[in-house]
Amino acid sequence: MLAAVCCAAVAQAAPELLDFSPEERARIVSHGPWPPVAPPDGANRVEGQPAAVAWGRELFFDTRLSASGQLSCASCHVPARAFQDGLTTARVGPGAEPGRRNTPSLLDSAQHRWFGWDGANDSLWAASLAPLLARDEMGQSAPALAARVRGDVQSVARYRRAFGHLLPADDEQLVVDMAKALAAFQATLTSPRTPFDTFRDALARGDLRAAASYPIAAQRGLRIFVGHGRCSVCHAGPNFTNGEFADIGVPFFVRGGVDPGRHGGLQQLQASRMNRLGAHNDASPQDPRAVTTRHVIIEPRHFGEFRVPGLRQLTHTAPYMHNGSLATIEDVVQHYSALNEERLHADGERILRPLNLAPEQANDLAAFLRSLSQ
Ligand code: HEC
Ligand code: HEC
């Protein structure tokens, strides 16, 4: 009886581990550990401080921050949907015109180097200030936002607790501080560990038996991802992004023109008083990130480049790409399999080529991508 139970279980599980080469193992291990330990971003002096996180959380759900009184950050960055909205492109309301871009998840956003699909901002707090003022998002003015805090006893107390002093007289300073509290809250949004992480850790410590319980299809897909698919060249590291920008041949036509992507984002970044070179940056001017911002150069190749997205919690963040043009993970795999090289810039071309995956290989790659979600 016992023997039968034992052997039935073994037959069912049939754990199996591919013979990953040392190079493959090194690449796989480089996608962890998760969660990573990142030092707080010096650009925001209240990051990591509980009172600021608490106020930021309240602001995130507060519809009074929008001109219409109907929208909060959470209307588009819905907590139950991995902090995005599931729409092709964002909308300010049910009847409203669709916007230009897909709403990104805010999970793990504190790890980004540049913010937005086009990198128009270089800190999480500046990327949180922009939607407050943007006409196609919350559409509020700085004086109206400041008045909303000044006129509310509770908000005044929350501000004081978060920043340790009375409200600043300057409206712009106050609104920047609201954005810093919002950023402090968002910096706490880390995605959970996934089946991939369990596998990666087992491989890293040489526990091959534990590693073998990772589904074999996902293992085969992972081999494509770090191997001839060359996915991990751009989708690198624990958050599956190198933090930079690329053109992978997603069409960037929008109604009435084109979306310039990184090219337009860099112009906005350089013109913004809210970048790391401005007076509101809390880090020193020697901060390496401020130095990078000082030295960015706008080149023609940036046209139509978008930020390499992280791939965690992918099963909760459809549709995909900067314009939400691909509905499913299978569609994304098909995009890379049948890549249109005519659409690629020189840079993308050097790395990407059509993979022409057989149906089983496409399924394996999709199985791997699914294993990056919990
Ligand atoms: C109408 C929908 C909508 C609302 C409301 C909204 N967002 Fe967004 N959010 C977006 C879209 C769309 C983008 C991508 C913008 C781009 O790339 O141009 C975005 C991008 C971001 C980013 C950059 C994320 C990344 O991965 O780079 C942050 C941070 C952010 N929003 C925070 C907020 C905060 C904080 C609020 C409230 C103050 C807010 N958003 C309100 C739709 C919205
Ligand atoms: C040259 C760099 C590069 C390579 C190589 C690359 N990607 Fe991407 N990936 C990107 C960029 C950039 C985007 C966003 C493009 C856009 O929105 O226009 C993206 C988007 C995605 C998305 C959609 C994510 C989302 O949240 O919208 C998935 C999934 C993905 N890639 C998987 C892969 C896989 C699988 C491979 C290998 C077959 C791969 N990528 C190879 C740069 C790259």
Side-chain angles (χ1 to χ4, degrees):
M1 174 68 180
L2 268 181
V5 169
C6 129
C7 298
V10 169
Q12 200 183 29
E16 197 188 327
L17 184 64
L18 294 185
D19 55 339
F20 290 108
S21 69
E23 295 79 47
E24 284 175 322
R25 280 186 200 204
R27 281 191 208 155
I28 293 166
V29 167
S30 76
H31 290 291
W34 194 261
V37 263
D41 179 359
N44 178 1
R45 67 193 181 286
V46 296
E47 187 176 321
Q49 302 199 6
V53 172
W55 191 40
R57 181 185 291 110
E58 277 180 27
L59 292 174
F60 193 83
F61 292 95
D62 191 343
T63 53
R64 290 174 300 173
L65 300 188
S66 63
S68 66
Q70 311 274 312
L71 271 181
S72 72
C73 310
S75 310
C76 296
H77 300 287
V78 186
R81 288 178 171 270
F83 293 86
Q84 51 91 56
D85 54 16
L87 299 173
T88 304
T89 57
R91 281 167 194 243
V92 292
E97 288 272 298
R100 266 194 325 173
R101 297 201 181 132
N102 178 260
T103 306
S105 166
L106 297 180
L107 293 173
D108 311 319
S109 55
Q111 294 182 45
H112 291 309
R113 172 66 188 83
W114 309 105
F115 295 82
W117 286 102
D118 59 3
N121 287 292
D122 62 359
S123 72
L124 186 53
W125 73 257
S128 305
L129 177 62
L132 289 170
L133 306 175
R135 235 178 307 136
D136 57 354
E137 291 179 72
M138 318 269 282
Q140 197 55 291
S141 70
L145 283 167
R148 142 86 192 85
V149 176
R150 294 188 200 286
D152 180 53
V153 189
Q154 232 180 21
S155 300
V156 171
R158 299 256 195 279
Y159 178 91
R160 213 174 158 173
R161 225 168 293 146
F163 288 89
H165 52 77
L166 294 175
L167 294 188
D170 178 35
D171 282 353
E172 180 172 289
Q173 181 64 54
L174 177 50
V175 172
V176 164
D177 287 345
M178 292 169 78
K180 286 179 178 168
L182 279 163
F185 164 60
Q186 292 164 85
T188 65
L189 307 175
T190 304
S191 65
R193 280 176 58 84
T194 66
F196 168 77
D197 298 308
T198 309
F199 170 72
R200 178 261 170 215
D201 291 355
L203 208 61
R205 62 173 192 271
D207 185 347
L208 303 187
R209 183 193 279 263
S213 61
Y214 185 54
I216 192 74
Q219 293 182 41
R220 288 190 301 252
L222 172 56
R223 178 168 262 174
I224 298 172
F225 191 87
V226 299
H228 79 277
R230 312 182 82 179
C231 314
S232 58
V233 174
C234 298
H235 297 284
N239 201 22
F240 291 88
T241 167
N242 58 9
E244 290 302 327
F245 299 77
D247 170 14
I248 57 159
V250 175
F252 47 93
F253 298 104
V254 288
R255 208 165 347 119
V258 290
D259 184 335
R262 179 67 163 150
H263 199 271
L266 278 173
Q267 284 170 336
Q268 276 177 260
L269 175 73
Q270 286 188 331
S272 171
R273 290 188 307 113
M274 300 299 161
N275 67 26
R276 285 179 190 256
L277 306 176
H280 295 295
N281 178 22
D282 294 332
S284 92
Q286 274 75 47
D287 166 27
R289 293 189 177 198
V291 174
T292 323
T293 295
R294 182 173 298 119
H295 293 293
V296 290
I297 300 169
I298 307 180
E299 293 175 50
R301 72 179 167 92
H302 295 309
F303 212 88
E305 282 188 350
F306 293 90
R307 194 184 66 201
V308 179
L311 301 179
R312 289 181 177 271
Q313 297 304 92
L314 211 53
T315 59
H316 306 281
T317 61
Y320 305 105
M321 305 301 171
H322 73 274
N323 54 6
S325 57
L326 298 180
T328 66
I329 289 178
E330 280 69 22
D331 292 340
V332 175
V333 169
Q334 181 57 25
H335 170 86
Y336 285 106
S337 185
L339 205 66
N340 181 345
E341 281 174 291
E342 310 266 287
R343 288 208 197 121
L344 295 181
H345 286 184
D347 269 27
E349 248 170 56
R350 268 203 298 275
I351 306 169
L352 286 164
R353 61 186 79 96
L355 294 176
N356 299 316
L357 299 171
E360 316 79 66
Q361 291 177 308
N363 288 340
D364 290 344
L365 188 52
F368 162 67
L369 292 172
R370 288 213 158 76
S371 79
L372 301 176
S373 301
Q374 185 58 275

